[in-house]
Amino acid sequence: MRFLHNCAPDCATGGVACDSYHKYQEDVMLLVEMEVDRYRFSISWPRILPDGTAGNVNQAGIDYYNNLIDALVANGIEPLVTLYHWDLPQALEDRGGWLNPESQDWFVEYARICFEAFGDRAKLWITFTQPWEIAWFGYGDGHHAPGHSDAPGEKTYQAGHNILLAHAKTYRMYQEEFFASQGGMSRAKVIENPFAETLSLCEETDAGGYVLTLHMTEFFFIIFFGRVTIALNINHHEPANPADPADAAAASRRTDFMLGWFADPVYFGDYPQSMIDKIGEKSEAQGYPESRLPAFTAEEQEMLAGSSDFFALNFYTSTYVRNFVNDPECVSYACDSDTEVFPDPSWKLLNYIKNRYGNLEVIITENGSSDRAGNLDDALRIYQLKHYINNILKGSSNKQLITFSKVPAMYLCHTPRLLLLAILLDGCNVTGYTAFSLMDSLEWPAGFSEKFGLHFVDFEDPERPRTPKASSRFFRQLIRDNGFLHNCAPDCDTGDVACDSYHKMSEDVMLLVDMEVSRITYQFTRAYILVDRYRFSISWPRILPAGTGDINQAGIDYYNDLIDALIAEGIEPMVTLYHWDLPQALEDRGGWLSPESHDWFVEYARVCFEAFGDRAKLWITFNEPWVVAWMGYGTGGGAPGHSDAPGEKTYQAGRNILLAHAKTYRMYQEEFFASQGGRVGITLNTNYHGPLNPADPEDVAAAARQMEFDLGWFADPVYFGNYPQTMIDKIGEKSEAQGYPESRLPAFTAEEQEMLAGSSDFFGLNTYTSSYANNLVHDSECVSYACDSDTQISSDPSWYGTGSDWLKLYPQGMRKLLNYIKDRYGNPEVIITENGSSDRAGNLDDALRIYQLKHYINNILKGSFTPSVPVLLDGCNVTGYTAWSLMDNLEWSSGFSQKFGLHFVDFEDPERPRTPKASSRFFRQLIRDNGFIEENLCEY
């Protein structure tokens, strides 16, 4: 094709690309190293038929694919073959390409040659990959081959129509001419039988194969025969405002126009009715004698319906959709759906396919993530693989299913060694996942600038060497484990060493000195700083390995040395007693679900006050109890990983933590305050939640309710003695309707309320981001904290993203939150004990972190009242700011993949060297200036 020669970035073409033509044996060894058992690749039509027709077969092309298939089979890797990945022979494009009705027969002729040459060994076939892109990008907006953009409301639909008919004709041709002779098994597996029951011999399955059962019931076979499908691409579309029927209809319509455009004909025989109606109405209004969407004849509909043996899905991202009526004179596919889209980070598509198309077998044939730097430490790609596969497993009826994918024309797949047919959350029938891609390659008009590979390819080197990225190791481990093992962060990172501050304590104190920590608060890993103050947390099991009883003197000595070193440098310690590391012995006794946990914590705190309270005068009992209660005992995303009763255990754990805090506060007042004179508080985390639609009273009420369910859940008892009335009422009403004898939110006694009220000497606040809330009444049968508030939260797509999917930067939210606390809690002293920004690359020139620090601190100063700032706007009583974090560290279940530090830590080096980032210099200047001085901000 001439298209890329006209040309992609740096005039990159597919003439050589990653050169798998000459390096296929090396690439097969990469697959063996990855331990995959299925490999998806595409055949190049012009490599087989240079002029596109059967009159001129290129034997060298046939030989290449035969050699590749033989090498795969010899290594136990099953071929999954795509016939068309956008490379139409130029001779056929010159004859009209996919606009020519003859294209249907050209394709059938080409497919027949491939089935004849390779079908004795290749049993899984995809006719077209992403026909939506061919039709719209190739014949609509013109930014893909062949580059047509002159009739986006006509040619687009003509091309799509011909592609669909080419697919259907090819599917029927395979059934008639090849299935009988080539329909041998594509795989025969002995599989452990999770049901322990006997299935009848030779029972035909919905997947197009047969189940042969051994009567001992421990095992069964699944055998698949030759199968043909089409690979469709789609974004998942969510309504921008779920409460707006017009947006809900728009999201459905958008999905019809993207996925349904091709899926509905393949499965039902015709286009979605919404497409037929919309385009018909617009065509008539625009003066066309008939619809711009070509109609199928009755015979074509019959040929199309059911022309797929499984649902092949290419998926990368999601979008929000709002209703938007386009200019009636706009003749384009882009205008026909009357919708507007913008990004949304969710994956709910599998449930849509299950519900619309009858829970077909789905093989995800492409999914991945790109970057432009080609970093070997590709943490973002690991994050994408981990979380997308995790969401597939949540939705799938197949518990273990992994697959791997492609370099355009080269895909790689892994399917389960054990296909355990377990019922998970949603019951979607997903049997394979294909990661895009094995290695970096030519990404069509983007050239080599976008890199999707799990292996780096050096396109400057004529030898095109391949180098494994960190994601390839992660994926190989995922295959070895056949899924996710418990207790394993990315790359199975742990906190055993992390940044090794235990041994590098003196060096880290010198980092604080170099930062000139004074006047402003700053924070470190699990050690945090404040101008002349440094916040760190004590590890409970380091002090009391069994949680109670015997004291570990080495732990006491370490924290004494740290506190002494800080004081010697004029830095005041600020000590957190609990940052989520409950001793395992106590978790085994029930953890925070046990009422005894109050007393365990008081005993531990007493040991710390006795050992360190003569020098440490600022104490935080708990860091982010919301995270402990909800993530630890609700979703299971944090330690200890409970997720079985998110509407019960969550509230039980929260209640016990609150009482442990209050008892500790009162114990300090009674036993230590007179001699030590310190202050005790608790650090609470929250987003600022604003209404999605400020003009909608229901959204305004939802935002207030979300604030109470997040911040008020813990702040109201600490300041007022009891939960917010909204929580009490909502959870009480839902509990009664769900048949509980009493509320799932445990009540405090009058004595406990008195002990709780006023149990904090300052308001410790951790905050990073903001969100919108809208009213959404959840299913009455949903027993979960997530449903109890009857709200839904979202972020603004215009906010800057970071290395954490939950963290979007909205500096103004900081000021709004401080005013909320001032108004609701009587303007208490606030110390911001965490605030920061993450990335995944660990760049030393971390401009986004500088932006975050600059704008968040600026909004704090706008809202604050301190003696050093005489002109103030809001009068919030903020006395300190703590940036997270001094250095990169273990970010819990995210491992080392999310980097929050002002100093880079090389976790591959046993010495864990620290390197200052640009943000550390910015922050030091901010400390020197005690705020913002215009002439010192120029370089930032």
Side-chain angles (χ1 to χ4, degrees):
M1 292 186 304
R2 302 190 186 101
F3 183 78
L4 287 179
H5 295 263
N6 288 326
C7 65
D10 294 328
C11 293
T13 74
V16 177
C18 55
D19 199 17
S20 288
Y21 184 81
H22 294 102
K23 298 172 78 72
Y24 76 88
Q25 292 175 315
E26 179 181 339
D27 292 342
V28 170
M29 288 303 101
L30 288 182
L31 305 180
V32 172
E33 176 68 18
M34 293 292 297
E35 303 182 21
V36 303
D37 64 3
R38 184 183 291 165
Y39 180 54
R40 180 182 172 215
F41 66 92
S42 65
I43 294 176
S44 170
W45 188 344
R47 180 174 281 163
I48 300 295
L49 303 175
D51 68 0
T53 64
N56 182 20
V57 177
N58 175 32
Q59 189 58 44
I62 298 288
D63 293 343
Y64 164 70
Y65 291 111
N66 271 323
N67 291 336
L68 173 60
I69 291 169
D70 288 344
L72 292 170
V73 172
N75 284 283
I77 300 170
E78 181 185 24
L80 171 58
V81 186
T82 299
L83 289 168
Y84 186 76
H85 198 138
W86 313 349
D87 51 349
L88 188 69
Q90 186 62 47
L92 299 186
E93 178 55 37
D94 293 341
R95 293 167 62 185
W98 292 112
L99 300 178
N100 187 337
E102 294 180 36
S103 59
Q104 304 165 25
D105 298 323
W106 301 337
F107 186 78
V108 170
E109 184 177 81
Y110 155 61
R112 181 179 287 109
I113 288 173
C114 294
F115 294 150
E116 289 172 344
F118 316 122
D120 57 329
R121 291 149 293 157
K123 306 299 180 182
L124 284 174
W125 294 90
I126 293 170
T127 54
F128 292 85
T129 196
Q130 301 182 188
W132 180 90
E133 296 215 14
I134 305 167
W136 172 233
F137 289 155
Y139 293 87
D141 75 357
H143 82 268
H144 275 195
H148 291 263
S149 60
D150 54 323
E154 300 172 15
K155 289 183 177 180
T156 295
Y157 299 123
Q158 294 165 17
H161 196 77
N162 286 324
I163 289 169
L164 278 163
L165 292 173
H167 158 77
K169 287 182 177 181
T170 300
Y171 179 87
R172 301 304 174 190
M173 178 267 290
Y174 182 87
Q175 298 299 312
E176 294 167 9
E177 300 179 22
F178 294 96
F179 181 78
S181 60
Q182 297 185 355
M185 64 184 71
S186 68
R187 62 175 64 238
K189 289 189 162 185
V190 180
I191 297 172
E192 290 188 32
N193 184 354
F195 303 118
E197 62 185 35
T198 302
L199 302 177
S200 59
L201 188 66
C202 291
E203 179 180 354
E204 189 169 2
T205 70
D206 291 338
Y210 290 84
V211 175
L212 308 179
T213 307
L214 298 180
H215 293 283
M216 293 179 67
T217 75
E218 288 90 350
F219 300 93
F220 62 84
F221 292 96
I222 288 186
I223 300 174
F224 287 125
F225 298 96
R227 298 190 292 163
V228 178
T229 193
I230 185 170
L232 306 180
N233 65 296
I234 179 63
N235 300 342
H236 174 66
H237 300 117
E238 281 281 300
N241 181 357
D244 183 346
D247 281 3
S252 176
R253 195 163 62 248
R254 185 76 182 189
T255 302
D256 284 350
F257 266 72
M258 193 172 184
L259 180 64
W261 179 8
F262 294 92
D264 276 31
V266 167
Y267 290 97
F268 306 142
D270 206 354
Y271 297 115
Q273 195 61 46
S274 64
M275 282 191 78
I276 295 171
D277 293 345
K278 269 281 183 186
I279 301 168
E281 292 163 6
K282 285 180 175 270
S283 299
E284 183 179 2
Q286 291 157 351
Y288 284 82
E290 59 185 4
S291 178
R292 291 182 277 106
L293 181 66
F296 294 116
T297 66
E299 182 182 12
E300 289 170 340
Q301 291 181 24
E302 184 178 358
M303 177 177 64
L304 277 160
S307 60
S308 178
D309 295 323
F310 58 93
F311 197 116
L313 175 66
N314 293 2
F315 176 84
Y316 290 85
T317 190
S318 299
T319 58
Y320 287 121
V321 183
R322 65 166 60 99
N323 188 62
F324 183 80
V325 179
N326 286 289
D327 183 341
E329 296 183 4
C330 175
V331 180
S332 173
Y333 165 81
C335 299
D336 285 339
S337 65
D338 282 338
T339 59
E340 183 177 44
V341 301
F342 52 98
D344 162 42
S346 65
W347 178 309
K348 301 171 186 172
L349 181 60
L350 294 175
N351 277 283
Y352 177 88
I353 292 171
K354 177 187 76 171
N355 295 330
R356 183 174 180 91
Y357 298 105
N359 206 14
L360 300 160
E361 177 192 358
V362 175
I363 297 177
I364 296 160
T365 42
E366 282 187 32
N367 177 244
S369 174
S370 67
D371 64 80
R372 291 181 178 268
N375 295 325
L376 297 182
D377 184 14
D378 54 341
L380 183 62
R381 186 169 290 107
I382 291 173
Y383 171 89
Q384 179 269 321
L385 288 167
K386 176 184 176 184
H387 288 274
Y388 274 66
I389 292 172
N390 187 42
N391 272 278
I392 295 166
L393 290 172
K394 288 178 181 178
S396 174
S397 61
N398 295 300
K399 192 171 183 179
Q400 295 156 317
L401 46 87
I402 308 166
T403 306
F404 196 167
S405 176
K406 99 170 187 131
V407 259
M410 291 289 164
Y411 310 69
L412 138 79
C413 314
H414 172 79
T415 48
R417 300 178 200 158
L418 296 180
L419 185 63
L420 298 183
L421 303 181
I423 303 302
L424 298 188
L425 297 180
D426 303 333
C428 301
N429 186 19
V430 182
T431 64
Y433 169 86
T434 308
F436 187 97
S437 60
L438 174 62
M439 67 188 75
D440 300 331
S441 189
L442 183 84
E443 289 301 326
W444 303 102
F448 302 129
S449 65
E450 295 181 6
K451 304 176 189 301
F452 280 84
L454 274 68
H455 292 77
F456 172 78
V457 177
D458 184 355
F459 294 105
E460 300 298 316
D461 187 328
E463 296 301 313
R464 300 297 197 267
R466 286 87 157 113
T467 305
K469 301 178 186 177
S471 57
S472 70
R473 298 189 293 274
F474 169 81
F475 200 83
R476 180 177 60 193
Q477 191 63 47
L478 197 60
I479 291 171
R480 285 178 174 171
D481 296 337
N482 206 14
F484 296 108
L485 299 181
H486 291 295
N487 309 320
C488 192
D491 288 335
C492 292
D493 300 328
T494 73
D496 294 348
V497 177
C499 54
D500 200 19
S501 287
Y502 184 83
H503 294 103
K504 300 173 78 71
M505 176 263 293
S506 299
E507 179 182 338
D508 292 343
V509 171
M510 288 302 101
L511 286 184
L512 305 180
V513 173
D514 184 63
M515 291 286 295
E516 302 182 21
V517 179
S518 56
R519 294 200 216 30
I520 298 184
T521 310
Y522 179 74
Q523 166 170 1
F524 155 172
T525 64
R526 210 95 52 247
Y528 333 50
I529 354 178
L530 242 130
V531 236
D532 53 356
R533 190 182 290 164
Y534 178 55
R535 180 182 173 218
F536 65 92
S537 65
I538 293 176
S539 170
W540 187 344
R542 182 174 280 164
I543 300 297
L544 299 172
T548 61
D550 293 341
I551 296 172
N552 174 32
Q553 189 58 43
I556 298 288
D557 294 343
Y558 166 71
Y559 291 111
N560 270 324
D561 291 344
L562 173 58
I563 290 168
D564 289 344
L566 292 170
I567 291 174
E569 297 296 341
I571 300 170
E572 180 185 17
M574 183 179 193
V575 186
T576 298
L577 288 169
Y578 186 76
H579 198 140
W580 313 348
D581 50 351
L582 188 70
Q584 186 62 44
L586 299 185
E587 177 55 36
D588 294 341
R589 293 165 62 185
W592 292 112
L593 299 178
S594 171
E596 295 180 54
S597 58
H598 318 165
D599 299 322
W600 301 336
F601 188 78
V602 170
E603 179 184 328
Y604 156 60
R606 183 179 286 111
V607 171
C608 294
F609 294 150
E610 288 172 345
F612 316 122
D614 58 327
R615 290 150 293 156
K617 307 299 180 182
L618 277 175
W619 295 90
I620 294 169
T621 55
F622 290 87
N623 182 76
E624 301 184 354
W626 181 94
V627 173
V628 182
W630 174 230
M631 305 298 285
Y633 293 87
T635 69
H642 291 262
S643 60
D644 54 322
E648 301 172 18
K649 289 183 177 180
T650 296
Y651 298 124
Q652 294 165 18
R655 182 180 187 275
N656 287 328
I657 290 169
L658 279 164
L659 292 174
H661 158 76
K663 287 183 177 182
T664 300
Y665 179 86
R666 300 305 174 190
M667 178 267 289
Y668 185 88
Q669 297 301 311
E670 295 167 8
E671 299 179 23
F672 295 97
F673 180 77
S675 60
Q676 296 182 358
R679 296 194 296 157
V680 178
I682 185 171
T683 280
L684 307 180
N685 65 291
T686 188
N687 299 352
Y688 174 73
H689 301 291
L692 179 63
N693 181 358
D696 184 345
E698 289 193 341
D699 282 5
V700 173
R705 198 162 60 246
Q706 190 70 52
M707 288 299 303
E708 291 174 346
F709 266 75
D710 282 6
L711 182 62
W713 179 9
F714 294 94
D716 275 30
V718 167
Y719 284 92
F720 307 139
N722 206 355
Y723 298 115
Q725 194 61 44
T726 303
M727 284 192 77
I728 295 171
D729 294 344
K730 270 279 184 186
I731 301 168
E733 292 165 5
K734 285 179 177 269
S735 299
E736 182 179 4
Q738 291 158 351
Y740 285 82
E742 59 186 4
S743 177
R744 292 182 277 104
L745 181 66
F748 295 117
T749 66
E751 181 184 10
E752 289 168 341
Q753 291 183 32
E754 184 178 358
M755 177 177 63
L756 277 161
S759 60
S760 185
D761 297 323
F762 55 89
F763 196 117
L765 176 65
N766 291 1
T767 186
Y768 291 84
T769 189
S770 297
S771 60
Y772 293 125
N774 62 276
N775 187 65
L776 181 68
V777 178
H778 290 283
D779 185 338
S780 59
E781 296 182 4
C782 176
V783 180
S784 173
Y785 165 81
C787 298
D788 285 340
S789 63
D790 281 336
T791 59
Q792 176 176 261
I793 63 172
S794 57
S795 61
D796 191 312
S798 68
W799 298 345
Y800 287 134
T802 66
S804 307
D805 60 351
W806 55 269
L807 205 176
K808 313 295 182 184
L809 300 182
Y810 179 59
Q812 297 91 325
M814 173 69 85
R815 183 178 174 188
K816 293 177 181 180
L817 178 58
L818 293 174
N819 276 277
Y820 177 89
I821 292 169
K822 179 188 75 171
D823 295 338
R824 185 174 180 89
Y825 299 105
N827 206 14
E829 176 190 358
V830 175
I831 298 175
I832 296 164
T833 42
E834 284 186 31
N835 177 243
S837 176
S838 66
D839 65 82
R840 292 181 175 267
N843 296 326
L844 298 181
D845 183 14
D846 54 341
L848 185 62
R849 186 168 290 106
I850 291 172
Y851 168 89
Q852 180 269 322
L853 288 167
K854 177 180 176 182
H855 289 275
Y856 273 69
I857 293 172
N858 188 38
N859 272 275
I860 295 166
L861 293 174
K862 288 178 180 178
S864 302
F865 173 82
T866 62
S868 61
V869 186
V871 180
L872 305 156
L873 298 180
D874 303 334
C876 301
N877 186 18
V878 182
T879 63
Y881 172 83
T882 309
W884 176 271
S885 60
L886 176 62
M887 67 187 75
D888 300 330
N889 192 30
L890 183 86
E891 290 297 329
W892 302 103
S893 59
S894 297
F896 301 130
S897 65
Q898 297 179 16
K899 306 175 189 300
F900 280 83
L902 274 69
H903 292 78
F904 172 77
V905 177
D906 183 355
F907 294 105
E908 299 296 319
D909 188 327
E911 297 301 313
R912 300 297 198 268
R914 287 86 158 110
T915 305
K917 301 178 187 177
S919 57
S920 69
R921 298 189 294 274
F922 170 82
F923 200 80
R924 180 174 59 190
Q925 190 64 50
L926 197 61
I927 292 171
R928 284 176 176 171
D929 297 337
N930 200 17
F932 295 109
I933 297 177
E934 188 172 353
E935 57 267 26
N936 288 337
L937 290 176
C938 294
E939 65 177 294
Y940 305 106

